[in-house]
Every structure is written in C-alpha cells, then in structure tokens.
Amino acid sequence: MEWRDEGIIIGCKKHGETSLIVELMTPKHGRHLGLVRGGRSRKMQPFLQPGNRVEAVWRARIDEHLGTYQIEPVEMTAAKLMESAMGVNAIQLLGSHLRLLPERDPHEAMYSALEVLLEHLDQPEIAGPLMVKFEMRLLDELGFGLDLSCCAGSGVRDNLVYISPKSGQAVSAEAGAPWKDKLLPLPQFLMKTSNRECSVGDLADAFYMLGFFFDRDIYYPRGVKPPESRVGFLHAATKKWPVT
Amino acid sequence: MSTKRIAGAEIEKLIQLLAKVPGLGPRSARRAALHMIKKKDQLLTPLAGAMADAAEKVQICSVCANVDTQNPCSICTDPRRDSTTIIVVEDVADLWALERASEMSVSYHILGGTLSPLDGVGPDDLNIKTLVDRVVGGEVKELILAVNATVEGQTTAHYITSQLEDLNVKITRLAHGVPVGGELDYLDEGTLSAALRSRTNF
C-alpha cells in the first residue's frame, strides 16, 4: 500500500528512542497516523512540529497497518505559532478537535478550514470567528450540526437571537422571550444574512454556546474532558483583540 | 518457540534489565553484562553497591522536584546561588544540561513534562501549582522559562505565563535561533525566521 498526499501535522508522539508517530490531517486521506523513523533526530525535529505543512508518502504492507511516513517540509508555520499564546493554543485545540473525527476518513472541508485558519492565527479578529465556524462545521461533520435557518418555534427567518439547547435550532427574539433565561445566545456574526462583525463579547458568547453542545453531545458521551486549550485560545484571543 | 537460554537465570535477568536502559538494546545489554562480569571486582560489585546506595537514598526535592540524595536538594540549599531567579525546565536532564553550561548560578524548578493533550497530560499533572506557590510566597524576581522549542513546550510556557500574569515577576524565555557552529545554509526555515524575528543589536 502506498499513497502520496499533502498534509498538516496536528500531533506527534514519541516512539522509542529515535522515532515519532506523526498524526497528519490530509485532504484525501483524512486524519492519518504513521511512523517516522529517525523522527527525533536533530535534522527532522524542526519540521515534525504541529502546524507545519508537509508532503507525505505513506507506505505499509497491508492497509490496516500503522505504516511509515516519509515526510518533506513544505511550509514551516510552527515556529511562528509558538511565539504567541493564541498560536500554540489554536494548534493544540485544532488537533484535539480533529481527533474527534474518525481516522482515515476524508473530510476535505475540515482540511480547507484548517488551512485558512492557520494562515490567520496572528489576527485574533479573524482567527476567533474562523475558529467558531470551524467548530460549527465540526459539529456538523459529527452529526450534531446546528440549524440556524429558521425559528424552532414560529418558523420565521428574521430576528433569530437565541439557540435552543434542546434541539440546536435558532429561536427568534419574540418566540424565545418567555424562555430567554434557558436559551443560549446566538451571536449575529454567525448569521449569513447579517453584516455584523464579531466583537469580543460575540466571540465569548459563541464559545459558550458551542461549548454547551460539544460538552453534551461529544465530550460527555465519549467520556473525555474538554480541551484546556479552548479556554486558553479564547483568553489569548480576547487579550490580543484590537481596541476599536 | 522459546529462545534458547545461554546463561543462568541471574545473568539473564541482568541482561533483561540492562536492555531496558535508554541507549541499550538486547545485544548491547549482553555486551555490557559480559564486560561487567569479566571485571567483577573493578566494575560489577562497585556498580551494584552504588546502585543499591542510590536506590536507597534518592529523593525528590520538595521545593524544585529535582532528584538528589537530600531533601531539599543541594541546589536549593546552596547559599551561593541566587534564589531570586528561577530557571523552569521540563526534566532533570534539562537541569543537568544547563548546569553543564555553568552560565548562571540560580535556582531551578522542574515541571516533570509538558502539557500534551495527545498524551493526556494536563496542568494538574505537572509541578505548575508548586511553581506558582514559590513565586507567590517567595522572593522570586525573575522566572526564566527554559522549556523545549516545541509546540508542547511553548504551550506550557504560555500557560505558566498566564498563571503568573497578575504577579509582579519578570518572565523571560530562552532565545530561539542559530546554534553555535550552525551554518545558515543547513538551517530549517522555521529556525531562520525565528532567528530573524528575535535579532539583536550588534
């Protein structure tokens, strides 16, 4: 078995004294692991870092094997990411999120979203909303997508300001008024019809709202803890947010 | 099929244990065992004694988490060292590496690893709380974060910084860039761009 694909490193694990198990996100082969022999050498360690874009050749005798990677660097993003708290938390968070997807299952849309996000990690006002949209797409890919098209109660398509924690569907201001304390906030920058830009408050609301669905539908049923890096990313993005 | 035994159970056990030492495999463990057996009086017996002594006396320092035969360790109790500066390292091996450089005579704090979601290592698994307690309760003026230049190392460094941001302590980190004897042509782009971004006046 052999394939060649581009990919972005999302995690590395030491294996023995000289090798690494590298976890790549690729467009055609999804999240895929492989052994890199000599991956802990001085020559290879700088480019075998999460966040770097690489060209990989995977080989194995049979498809079920872990297999070995031969990796060539394409774009070294990790060094830049390491300089900011937002960068390191983002790459750790993206890795944790992508690990929720099944292995070797292609998710081209997630790969494209990852690529775009990595390009903007030095700008919190862009990276913050992109991370929120990445999380929404991930929920969708995992089968728990939110429905922001119309109100769950009245069916109207305007003035949708809440989201129902029960159904994950949007709720209008009028229909949701009696239950507003129980509903989750729906930041307006997420609405396709809205031109409103994301503010720090909107970002915190979106993280709170999505965190609820991740906890209930993903982390709790799987028995895993929410990633610490999610809090770290929000904190770093809020701190670095440009003052208007 | 069972492998054929070539020596008594005691020697086999010695070889098996030596093979678990980093840098040694079954073949090199066999060579090392044979060498020690041949030099029983000069090597095997003193080594066994030294290992028994170390196993009996080795302790983890309650202040910095260093390994020593006394608690607090000889670094923490050394009055000649500057206790207002702490170098934070991931592992005892990093402390030994920095001590070999002999550049600063300061105190240390060993984290015991780095934050790693892939390995399930969170802040509670590292000695971060004891570091914060040391800074809060002591006379610390500067904290030098000497963690590895990896994504996991730097995540840990940023996490520590966020935990200490409200305290009046200077936090610095090691420079990233061109190693001594390094030729630019052979360096990776990531290291070169980090070196350019952290350039200094000449």
Side-chain angles (χ1 to χ4, degrees):
Chain A
M1 306 295 299
E2 183 175 327
W3 55 253
R4 177 185 284 269
D5 203 353
E6 64 175 81
I8 293 167
I9 300 176
I10 57 167
C12 295
K13 204 171 178 174
K14 288 173 188 169
H15 183 80
E17 284 173 44
T18 55
S19 301
L20 274 183
I21 294 176
V22 172
E23 193 175 18
L24 284 184
M25 185 65 190
T26 63
K28 292 181 200 140
H29 300 87
R31 184 172 68 88
H32 202 295
L33 283 85
L35 182 78
V36 178
R37 291 191 201 284
R40 292 177 68 186
S41 66
R42 273 189 199 177
K43 194 182 156 200
M44 292 175 90
Q45 255 185 333
F47 67 81
L48 295 178
Q49 292 295 321
N52 283 342
R53 189 201 300 260
V54 295
E55 187 81 37
V57 178
W58 179 80
R59 287 189 190 94
R61 194 167 60 77
I62 50 174
D63 200 29
E64 288 76 24
H65 279 182
L66 171 68
T68 56
Y69 271 136
Q70 201 181 328
I71 290 181
E72 290 287 328
V74 174
E75 197 181 343
M76 310 280 268
T77 320
K80 203 176 166 193
L81 294 179
M82 281 184 218
E83 289 185 358
S84 73
M86 199 172 84
V88 286
N89 279 300
I91 190 63
Q92 299 273 24
L93 177 59
L94 290 166
S96 300
H97 277 341
L98 291 168
R99 242 161 255 136
L100 297 170
L101 294 169
E103 245 183 87
R104 303 187 179 192
D105 194 19
H107 292 270
E108 282 195 52
M110 295 308 299
Y111 181 80
S112 307
L114 175 68
E115 268 189 316
V116 175
L117 194 41
L118 284 177
E119 279 170 22
H120 294 96
L121 280 178
D122 49 349
Q123 296 159 288
E125 69 280 19
I126 299 175
L130 281 177
M131 184 65 87
V132 170
K133 286 173 184 169
F134 183 90
E135 290 193 342
M136 283 183 65
R137 190 177 282 270
L138 180 64
L139 276 176
D140 205 29
E141 297 270 338
L142 293 167
F144 298 99
L146 306 179
D147 180 2
L148 308 183
S149 59
C150 62
C151 175
S154 60
V156 298
R157 292 175 183 274
D158 299 322
N159 206 14
L160 302 173
V161 295
Y162 302 114
I163 196 151
S164 161
K166 205 170 176 183
S167 64
Q169 198 175 344
V171 179
S172 69
E174 299 78 39
W179 299 282
K180 65 176 185 183
D181 295 339
K182 288 183 180 173
L183 296 170
L184 297 166
L186 174 57
Q188 291 304 295
F189 77 93
L190 292 175
M191 304 304 295
K192 281 178 188 158
T193 50
S194 167
N195 293 326
R196 186 175 155 165
E197 283 189 14
C198 176
S199 68
V200 184
D202 289 338
L203 185 70
D205 281 349
F207 263 65
Y208 172 72
M209 181 267 286
L210 288 167
F212 172 84
F213 291 106
F214 268 99
D215 283 347
R216 190 192 65 183
D217 299 330
I218 318 280
Y219 298 132
Y220 182 73
R222 295 186 187 200
V224 292
K225 280 200 286 185
E228 296 269 351
S229 46
R230 198 166 185 271
V231 180
F233 175 82
L234 180 62
H235 180 76
T238 308
K239 214 172 150 190
K240 228 182 143 187
W241 201 272
V243 182
T244 48
Chain B
M1 199 176 81
S2 63
T3 49
K4 206 195 275 182
R5 278 172 64 158
I6 52 167
E10 294 81 5
I11 296 174
E12 285 287 348
K13 193 177 176 190
L14 175 67
I15 294 169
Q16 273 176 20
L17 290 172
L18 281 173
K20 291 181 181 173
V21 174
L24 294 186
R27 283 173 77 96
S28 41
R30 225 173 285 143
R31 283 179 61 207
L34 191 60
H35 181 74
M36 285 193 283
I37 291 163
K38 279 183 185 168
K39 300 201 168 196
K40 189 180 165 189
D41 293 335
Q42 301 101 308
L43 197 58
L44 186 61
T45 312
L47 182 68
M51 287 172 90
D53 277 353
E56 189 190 332
K57 291 178 184 163
V58 77
Q59 299 177 65
I60 305 291
C61 175
S62 55
V63 179
C64 70
N66 186 16
V67 287
D68 204 341
T69 51
Q70 62 181 70
N71 184 13
C73 70
S74 28
I75 290 180
C76 291
T77 50
D78 187 348
R80 289 165 300 176
R81 285 179 182 266
D82 177 8
S83 59
T84 62
T85 303
I86 297 177
I87 300 184
V88 181
V89 292
E90 287 178 23
D91 198 58
V92 179
D94 300 329
L95 185 156
W96 289 356
L98 286 165
E99 280 295 288
R100 280 202 305 273
S102 306
E103 184 61 33
M104 296 177 91
S105 186
V106 294
S107 303
Y108 289 90
H109 193 90
I110 295 155
L111 295 171
T114 49
L115 296 174
S116 170
L118 199 55
D119 298 314
V121 181
D124 297 339
D125 302 310
L126 304 177
N127 297 319
I128 294 177
K129 194 179 175 304
T130 48
L131 174 66
V132 176
D133 291 344
R134 261 180 103 176
V135 176
V136 170
E139 46 178 359
V140 181
K141 288 182 186 154
E142 184 178 356
L143 212 63
I144 303 170
L145 299 173
V147 287
N148 289 339
T150 59
V151 169
E152 289 176 351
Q154 295 308 305
T155 306
T156 313
H158 287 295
Y159 180 80
I160 293 170
T161 310
S162 72
Q163 295 297 298
L164 299 170
E165 64 188 355
D166 298 331
L167 300 170
N168 187 24
V169 61
K170 182 181 170 188
I171 301 175
T172 54
R173 64 159 203 187
L174 297 186
H176 296 168
V178 183
V180 174
E183 293 179 34
L184 297 188
D185 193 21
Y186 288 94
L187 287 181
D188 62 279
E189 303 93 83
T191 307
L192 278 173
S193 57
L196 275 171
R197 278 196 297 274
S198 51
R199 65 190 181 277
T200 52
N201 287 330
F202 193 63

